[in-house]
Amino acid sequence: MDSALDLNNPVMTVFLVISFLSLLPAILVMFTSFTRIVVVLSFLRQAIGSQQIPPNPVIIGLSLFLTLFVMYPTVSVVNRDSITPYVEKRISLVEAVQRAETPMKGFMLRQTREKDIALFLNLGKEKAPALPNDLSMRILVPAFAISELKSAFEIGFLLFLPFLIIDMVVASVLLSMGMMMLPPVMVSLPFKLLLFVLVDGWNLVVGSVVRSFQ
């Protein structure tokens, strides 16, 4: 029984690796910048008014690569201090997890609002720790998630404004011309695309989203 629970046991290691891989999608969403990026890009598609352009695989793929770009400094530290020593059998699995937790907490704390942390401390009936790094992941992860959603919605609101103005202008012009049967979205879409291309929209949006993490 004791050998089966030994974290240095190869069978136990394989089991933990498989478990980690099964949790990888949840880790990607809840511990990284992926949520903010994919929500912002989805808002952008809705604001332009093209329901399936870019298609979902493009949105998800771009979000993944932008997440890798944003998380690279943190992942580099995790790899140097945790993964590499564990693979080389210089530290145990427990110590590797503890070492990986510190840089991940640092990234998450920089993006998390104190108000959201206070909310989950209150809901969990826990006292605020002396140092931010002493926060438990039980508190930090949901606080980080709702902070990311709030940031994504704020950026999405700003993205919607110029396209909303175009929709309102086109709708007013069509109404004044008595063309009430013509869908305004059909007419406004080319003007939205033209505006987006002229201002180099992808450069602006991606640059703004990435800079929001710095």
Side-chain angles (χ1 to χ4, degrees), residues 4 16 31-32 37 44 56 66 74 84 88 93 115-116 184 188 193 195 197 213:
L16 291 173
F31 287 75
T32 70
I37 294 171
L44 175 62
N56 285 329
L66 290 177
T74 303
T84 299
E88 295 174 351
L93 180 60
K115 182 178 180 181
D116 295 327
S188 63
L193 294 176
L195 172 66
V197 171
F213 291 97

Side-chain angles (χ1 to χ4, degrees), residues 76-147:
S76 297
V77 174
V78 172
N79 181 64
R80 183 192 66 205
D81 297 342
S82 175
I83 298 176
T84 299
Y86 175 71
V87 171
E88 295 174 351
K89 298 182 179 181
R90 290 189 279 116
I91 60 175
S92 65
L93 180 60
V94 173
E95 187 178 354
V97 172
Q98 291 173 344
R99 289 189 180 188
E101 189 176 284
T102 300
M104 291 303 300
K105 274 187 176 181
F107 170 79
M108 296 167 73
L109 284 168
R110 289 195 298 271
Q111 311 302 327
T112 307
R113 298 181 303 163
E114 293 183 4
K115 182 178 180 181
D116 295 327
I117 294 175
L119 169 66
F120 285 98
L121 284 172
N122 184 42
L123 292 175
K125 298 180 180 179
E126 295 186 15
K127 294 182 179 180
L131 297 174
N133 283 333
D134 293 335
L135 273 172
S136 66
M137 298 301 283
R138 170 175 172 261
I139 299 297
L140 182 56
V141 170
F144 171 74
I146 64 173
S147 292

Side-chain angles (χ1 to χ4, degrees), residues 168-195:
M168 293 175 63
V169 170
V170 169
S172 299
V173 171
L174 292 177
L175 184 62
S176 64
M177 296 174 63
M179 303 174 67
M180 291 175 290
M181 300 301 294
L182 184 63
V185 176
M186 184 182 300
V187 179
S188 63
L189 180 57
F191 292 101
K192 291 179 182 179
L193 294 176
L194 179 62
L195 172 66

Side-chain angles (χ1 to χ4, degrees), residues 59-80:
I59 295 291
I60 299 299
L62 180 57
S63 300
L64 284 172
F65 278 97
L66 290 177
T67 299
L68 290 174
F69 182 83
V70 171
M71 298 299 299
Y72 180 78
T74 303
V75 173
S76 297
V77 174
V78 172
N79 181 64
R80 183 192 66 205

Side-chain angles (χ1 to χ4, degrees), residues 33 36-48 54 59 62-63 66 69-70 151-152 154-163 192-193 195-214:
S33 57
R36 185 190 305 187
I37 294 171
V38 75
V39 171
V40 168
L41 295 181
S42 299
F43 268 127
L44 175 62
R45 183 171 64 182
Q46 292 295 322
I48 293 176
I59 295 291
L62 180 57
S63 300
L66 290 177
F69 182 83
V70 171
S151 298
E154 289 175 343
I155 297 173
F157 170 75
L158 296 176
L159 285 175
F160 258 96
L161 286 180
F163 299 113
K192 291 179 182 179
L193 294 176
L195 172 66
F196 194 69
V197 171
L198 289 177
V199 300
D200 199 3
W202 287 112
N203 185 290
L204 291 175
V205 172
V206 171
S208 298
V209 173
V210 172
R211 291 189 190 97
S212 68
F213 291 97
Q214 297 174 352

